[in-house]
Amino acid sequence: MPVKFYLLLVVFFFVLQTVSAQNKYNLSGTIRDANTGETLIGATVKLSGKTNLATSTNNYGYYALTQPEGEYTVVVSYAGYVSVVKTIKLNKDLKLNEELKTANDLSEVTVSATNRKNENVKTAQMGLERIDMKSLNSIPVLLGEKDILKTIQLLPGVKSGGEGNTGFYVRGGAADQNLIILDEAVVYNSSHLLGFFSTFNADAIKDVSLYKGGMPAQYGGRLSSVLDVKMDDGNNKEFKFQGGIGLIASRIKAEGPIVKDKGSFMVSFRRTYIDLFLRASPDSSVNGSTLNFYDINAKANYKIDDRNTIYLSGYFGKDNIGVKDLFENNWGNVTTTLRLNHIFSDKLFSNTSLIYNNYNYTVRLLNDVTNFKATSLVRDFNLKQDFQYFSNKHILRFGLNATHHRISPIDITTSQESQVNSLTQEKRYGLESAVYVADEWAATEKLNFLYGLRVAAFSLLGPGNFSTYDAAGNINSTEAVESGKFYKNYLNLEPRFSVSYLFNDENSVKASYNRNTQNIHILTNATSSSPTDQYVLSSNNIKPEIADQVALGYFKNIQENNYELSAEVYYKWLQNQIDYKNAAQLLANSNVESELIYGSGRAYGLELFFKKKFGKLNGWLGYTLSKTERKFAQLNNGNYFPARQDRTHDVSLVGIYNMNRRWTFSSSFIYSTGNAVTFPAGKYSIGGQTAYYYTERNAGRMPYNMRLDVSATLEPRKRGKYESSWNFGIYNVLARKNPYSIEFKTDPTNATKTIAEQTSLFGLIPSVTWNFKF
């Protein structure tokens, strides 16, 4: 019934628009960068004449407007680019493609200050943060490596997964409740070197959008947020090279035309070389160790004709960690996306995608006797079809997608002499599908709506043996299911609704409600992402996680959009949350579902954000006041207790000062309450060994976290087409020993006493990076 309703709604909308479009004409086209040919996402196209109307380009730079016949002034603008102003006579359907020049090309012209003036106030979208890739170069980070995931942690509502870690929590959600996609492909593990660096090489990235709430209906599959990352298309005008050399990593990027103005390519490579320093160590146990990662981003596109463009992109990354003669651990991601853009008409835009992604890891113990090897795999095949229909005051989006999941839990092989037994766990298969429809409606000059419905289905597939368990975790029954058979099915409706009301051009209030469901889950006791995290699908025991979120916000712009101010409050209800029994065994457990318990949760908070966008001095101040709790009948007497990612206060301050054309200085300051943690309440002795006694879950609190980072960027004078820059940074200027973990030990001088030993990873760390471009 929901699918039929969806189809009828689409047909009705097309009929309605066909009738209302009489005596009106279409203006459509693509907006690009004049230097590179890159399409510009979110560029503004505004018509002034009989009526005033504005729209933004989609993810492929395409736009469409419908207006009555007449003469109009067209203004095309984008942040940091020279606006184009033209007069047109709209007496037939027109194509208007424009290429915008950057501000550096012409110094005596007026440059558009925003992608769309007051867009943050006018649009109905809530909880959306866009990352400026240019300012990313100036924000100080660990060891000077530009990092998208560490940058978003400086935004209100986003909490760090730990000191120096790329893991993050959004509005009370767990780390696995964030949907991270790169050119539409899901990235299951987005970190390198155990979380200290992200998989995203900033040189290869074109656009980053983070949805903290009010997610549009085209996104689904996770509860808390969507991080949508898009790679550069490549320069279709001329060949360009850029890169950088840092203390621990170097990178290189090449791009250029396949056929000038019709197709382009981009290839970017990055690698660390920490292991090269280890080889210089006089310690034989160190100089044979391995510690590195590499990643490759590649993309190509070709414009077949005026209505068809094809894209092929991929990511290939690998981590390698090993200690000589002891162990090896490697893991990596592979993603591939093949897309076809097709313009059916001036109003109807289509994108068809075939997507593949693979995440795997291997652990080996380098011992001739043990011969221990553990492997795991998550592999997806995904088909997506998305449409956009542009009307007078509407942008209708509708589409479908189907993903086939294959999960291979940990398989262990050992020699016969090993004390560890070999183990082969059953693979799990699932089919996740969805259809959606959404409408962005400018109802009046003051009232805007964004509403839609996503129908999400999940099926657990055979082959496999599926068990049910009693309260003690014992098997009640087991059912053998044949290959391809649908064993367990779930269907969920996910309504999405947002509305904004403008008091005037600079002040508005917004409200939103959205529901999300999740059918792939991570089982881990760690506080941050780990390569050995175990993935499981919804099953007869594990129900889909569900989150309902409401939000209310006030948004204000000051001094011609030079300053932004916002305040948002949110409340989130969580169902079917997963936790673990005390002393649960998660790794290499064929009946891991017997160790799980299920409950509910809630999260609520206030987010304040103040940003100065332009001028010599710019930056932002963010503050989050929040509470995140979970509730399980088996824990804490069935009462709510803090989730481990619960932090009451989070403060971030970022400042960037452009002193002149050559020098840019920046700094960032963070303060946060410590995470909730379970500390022992007592201890006792068993067979001469000390055992600790625990009471309430997460009743303790880690010490607070505070850090100040600074950096300076020097840009020498440009020599022809050659450019370079030097970035100098200091991470943790205050040299504060922020807590990474706390371990309780018996006092070696007094066995009756217990001491708490804190581990801190980073003190004061300087960095220097040389960047070049030609």
Side-chain angles (χ1 to χ4, degrees):
M1 182 67 181
V3 176
K4 292 181 179 179
F5 173 78
Y6 159 79
L7 294 174
L8 287 173
L9 181 62
V10 172
V11 172
F12 173 76
F13 188 88
F14 276 116
V15 172
L16 178 64
Q17 293 303 313
T18 301
V19 173
S20 63
Q22 295 175 0
N23 301 321
K24 294 182 179 180
Y25 297 100
N26 302 319
L27 176 69
S28 61
T30 302
I31 309 302
R32 298 177 180 272
D33 183 305
N35 291 331
T36 66
E38 287 268 5
T39 55
L40 297 178
I41 301 172
T44 299
V45 181
K46 183 176 181 180
L47 284 181
S48 300
K50 288 184 176 181
T51 59
N52 294 322
L53 187 65
T55 192
S56 297
T57 55
N58 67 9
N59 290 338
Y60 300 92
Y62 184 79
Y63 75 94
L65 289 165
T66 302
Q67 285 287 269
E69 180 178 355
E71 190 172 284
Y72 294 89
T73 299
V74 183
V75 180
V76 183
S77 57
Y78 191 74
Y81 286 74
V82 180
S83 297
V84 171
V85 181
K86 286 188 175 180
T87 299
I88 63 168
K89 192 170 185 179
L90 195 63
N91 54 13
K92 61 179 180 180
D93 291 345
L94 291 178
K95 284 280 187 183
L96 183 62
N97 300 321
E98 290 293 341
E99 294 188 342
L100 304 185
K101 295 183 178 181
T102 60
N104 294 332
D105 295 333
L106 296 172
S107 59
E108 297 181 359
V109 295
T110 301
V111 179
S112 171
T114 60
N115 294 5
R116 183 176 178 184
K117 187 177 180 181
N118 294 323
E119 180 182 14
N120 62 307
V121 171
K122 293 181 179 180
T123 180
Q125 179 66 58
M126 290 192 70
L128 172 61
E129 302 285 354
R130 297 188 185 276
I131 306 300
D132 182 358
M133 297 304 296
K134 292 181 180 179
S135 66
L136 188 70
N137 297 331
S138 302
I139 297 175
V141 290
L142 178 64
L143 293 170
E145 283 294 303
K146 296 179 291 184
D147 201 306
I148 292 169
L149 297 187
K150 288 191 175 72
T151 300
I152 67 171
Q153 294 172 9
L154 299 171
L155 299 170
V158 184
K159 300 176 184 291
S160 166
E163 174 72 3
N165 200 284
T166 57
F168 62 98
Y169 308 105
V170 178
R171 290 187 173 179
D176 69 323
Q177 293 174 355
N178 303 310
L179 176 64
I180 302 175
I181 52 179
L182 177 64
D183 274 6
E184 301 187 68
V186 174
V187 179
Y188 280 102
N189 188 330
S190 59
S191 65
H192 284 305
L193 294 186
L194 303 176
F196 297 125
F197 303 95
S198 79
T199 58
F200 302 116
N201 180 356
D203 285 353
I205 303 305
K206 172 182 179 178
D207 183 80
V208 180
S209 297
L210 173 68
Y211 295 87
K212 300 182 296 184
M215 278 84 82
Q218 62 264 34
Y219 297 107
R222 300 294 188 275
L223 299 190
S224 293
S225 74
V226 177
L227 184 67
D228 190 351
V229 183
K230 299 178 180 64
M231 279 193 270
D232 280 340
D233 294 333
N235 192 318
N236 68 14
K237 305 289 186 181
E238 58 182 337
F239 290 97
K240 291 283 188 179
F241 299 89
Q242 71 177 78
I245 299 175
L247 291 179
I248 66 163
S250 292
R251 60 193 192 279
I252 184 71
K253 171 186 173 183
E255 58 182 334
I258 298 174
V259 177
K260 190 173 181 179
D261 294 327
K262 293 196 68 174
S264 61
F265 76 91
M266 181 279 297
V267 178
S268 180
F269 176 77
R270 177 177 60 161
R271 192 194 190 277
T272 57
Y273 32 73
I274 302 175
D275 49 337
L276 300 181
F277 295 109
L278 297 180
R279 292 176 187 175
S281 172
D283 188 338
S284 60
S285 63
V286 174
N287 59 31
S289 298
T290 303
L291 184 60
N292 66 67
F293 72 79
Y294 73 85
D295 46 36
I296 302 171
N297 294 80
K299 190 171 183 178
N301 67 88
Y302 183 76
K303 185 178 180 181
I304 302 170
D305 54 37
D306 288 341
R307 292 188 176 273
N308 295 279
T309 304
I310 191 168
Y311 297 82
L312 177 63
S313 60
Y315 169 83
F316 313 90
K318 197 76 171 179
D319 280 75
N320 300 284
I321 296 178
V323 176
K324 183 179 181 180
D325 299 329
L326 290 179
F327 78 92
E328 289 180 355
N329 185 5
N330 59 73
W331 66 94
N333 290 282
V334 175
T335 73
T336 306
T337 306
L338 175 65
R339 286 176 287 185
L340 175 65
N341 286 175
H342 178 67
I343 301 173
F344 283 98
S345 69
D346 294 337
K347 291 185 176 183
L348 183 59
F349 182 91
S350 163
N351 181 64
T352 306
S353 302
L354 295 173
I355 306 163
Y356 168 82
N357 56 287
N358 179 310
Y359 170 67
N360 63 84
Y361 72 81
T362 301
V363 178
R364 288 188 179 91
L365 297 184
L366 304 178
N367 185 309
D368 292 336
V369 176
T370 302
N371 197 25
F372 176 93
K373 178 182 178 181
T375 60
S376 183
L377 169 75
V378 180
R379 188 197 67 193
D380 291 345
F381 290 98
N382 186 5
L383 169 64
K384 286 185 64 183
Q385 176 61 61
D386 300 292
F387 294 97
Q388 276 184 281
Y389 184 81
F390 299 86
S391 180
N392 191 16
K393 292 187 177 182
H394 297 264
I395 299 178
L396 181 72
R397 292 178 173 86
F398 57 98
L400 56 88
N401 77 280
T403 303
H404 183 272
H405 300 288
R406 171 190 165 185
I407 294 180
S408 299
I410 298 176
D411 287 341
I412 299 174
T413 58
T414 62
S415 64
Q416 293 183 350
E417 294 79 10
S418 173
Q419 296 180 350
V420 179
N421 296 324
S422 297
L423 174 67
T424 299
Q425 295 183 261
E426 288 189 343
K427 300 177 177 62
R428 288 290 184 252
Y429 302 89
L431 179 63
E432 195 167 12
S433 55
V435 294
Y436 73 89
V437 59
D439 182 27
E440 186 176 347
W441 177 27
T444 69
E445 290 186 359
K446 293 182 175 294
L447 197 60
N448 295 280
F449 294 94
L450 178 59
Y451 55 96
L453 176 67
R454 184 180 181 90
V455 183
F458 177 80
S459 297
L460 183 64
L461 307 176
N465 296 293
F466 301 96
S467 300
T468 59
Y469 305 91
D470 60 22
N474 301 310
I475 296 177
N476 279 332
S477 63
T478 300
E479 183 176 354
V481 179
E482 297 177 354
S483 177
K485 183 179 179 181
F486 287 65
Y487 174 62
K488 185 67 177 178
N489 301 291
Y490 294 99
L491 183 69
N492 285 286
L493 301 181
E494 302 178 11
R496 316 284 174 86
F497 177 82
S498 300
V499 59
S500 66
Y501 179 80
L502 279 71
F503 298 108
N504 51 48
D505 284 345
E506 295 184 341
N507 293 270
S508 71
V509 292
K510 302 181 186 182
S512 69
Y513 163 76
N514 62 278
R515 166 171 281 205
N516 291 274
T517 61
Q518 181 168 331
N519 287 290
I520 188 165
H521 323 274
I522 290 182
L523 305 183
T524 178
N525 279 322
T527 57
S528 58
S529 176
S530 166
T532 56
D533 288 343
Q534 185 170 350
Y535 292 84
V536 295
L537 298 171
S538 294
S539 66
N540 53 313
N541 299 301
I542 304 173
K543 295 180 180 180
E545 298 178 73
I546 301 174
D548 295 272
Q549 181 180 168
V550 293
L552 178 67
Y554 171 71
F555 299 82
K556 181 178 178 60
N557 286 341
I558 306 169
Q559 290 186 2
E560 294 295 322
N561 212 25
N562 191 33
Y563 297 90
E564 288 183 9
L565 175 66
S566 65
E568 293 186 56
V569 293
Y570 66 90
Y571 196 102
K572 184 188 294 185
W573 297 265
L574 299 158
Q575 302 177 48
N576 305 329
Q577 297 301 283
I578 301 172
D579 210 319
Y580 321 109
K581 298 176 181 178
N582 291 325
Q585 174 59 43
L586 301 181
L587 291 177
N589 185 347
S590 297
N591 295 305
V592 68
E593 292 182 15
S594 66
E595 303 281 2
L596 307 181
I597 57 177
Y598 309 97
S600 59
R602 62 188 181 189
Y604 47 93
L606 164 69
E607 298 171 6
L608 302 177
F609 190 56
F610 177 76
K611 183 177 184 179
K612 185 177 185 298
K613 300 174 66 175
F614 308 106
K616 281 196 169 186
L617 177 64
N618 54 77
W620 68 82
L621 171 64
Y623 170 70
T624 305
L625 174 67
S626 62
K627 187 71 175 176
T628 303
E629 297 176 307
R630 297 292 186 264
K631 184 178 182 181
F632 296 85
Q634 300 90 335
L635 301 176
N636 199 30
N637 297 319
N639 298 317
Y640 277 106
F641 62 88
R644 61 188 176 192
Q645 66 267 29
D646 176 67
R647 294 207 290 263
T648 307
H649 303 283
D650 262 281
V651 179
S652 60
L653 176 63
V654 176
I656 301 172
Y657 178 64
N658 301 290
M659 188 175 73
N660 51 44
R661 290 179 179 269
R662 301 187 64 190
W663 282 100
T664 299
F665 299 91
S666 62
S667 66
S668 63
F669 172 82
I670 63 124
Y671 168 87
S672 63
T673 306
N675 288 343
V677 65
T678 303
F679 287 143
K683 67 177 181 179
Y684 51 92
S685 179
I686 300 179
Q689 299 294 320
T690 300
Y692 292 97
Y693 171 69
Y694 297 89
T695 54
E696 295 183 0
R697 183 75 63 94
N698 293 345
R701 185 72 61 174
M702 294 284 281
Y704 71 89
N705 194 357
M706 184 175 70
R707 194 183 71 246
L708 174 66
D709 307 327
V710 297
S711 73
T713 301
L714 170 64
E715 297 187 17
R717 290 183 175 86
K718 185 176 179 181
R719 297 178 181 178
K721 292 186 177 182
Y722 176 80
E723 302 177 45
S724 67
S725 66
W726 288 89
N727 180 271
F728 310 93
I730 302 178
Y731 180 89
N732 194 12
V733 172
L734 304 178
R736 187 176 188 274
K737 299 296 184 181
N738 287 306
Y740 181 77
S741 65
I742 293 180
E743 183 179 358
F744 287 83
K745 297 181 177 180
T746 300
D747 189 336
T749 62
N750 187 342
T752 63
K753 294 184 178 181
T754 301
I755 58 174
E757 187 175 279
Q758 175 179 304
T759 299
S760 299
L761 295 181
F762 304 111
L764 184 151
I765 301 179
S767 65
V768 58
T769 304
W770 175 60
N771 302 297
F772 59 87
K773 182 185 296 185
F774 58 92

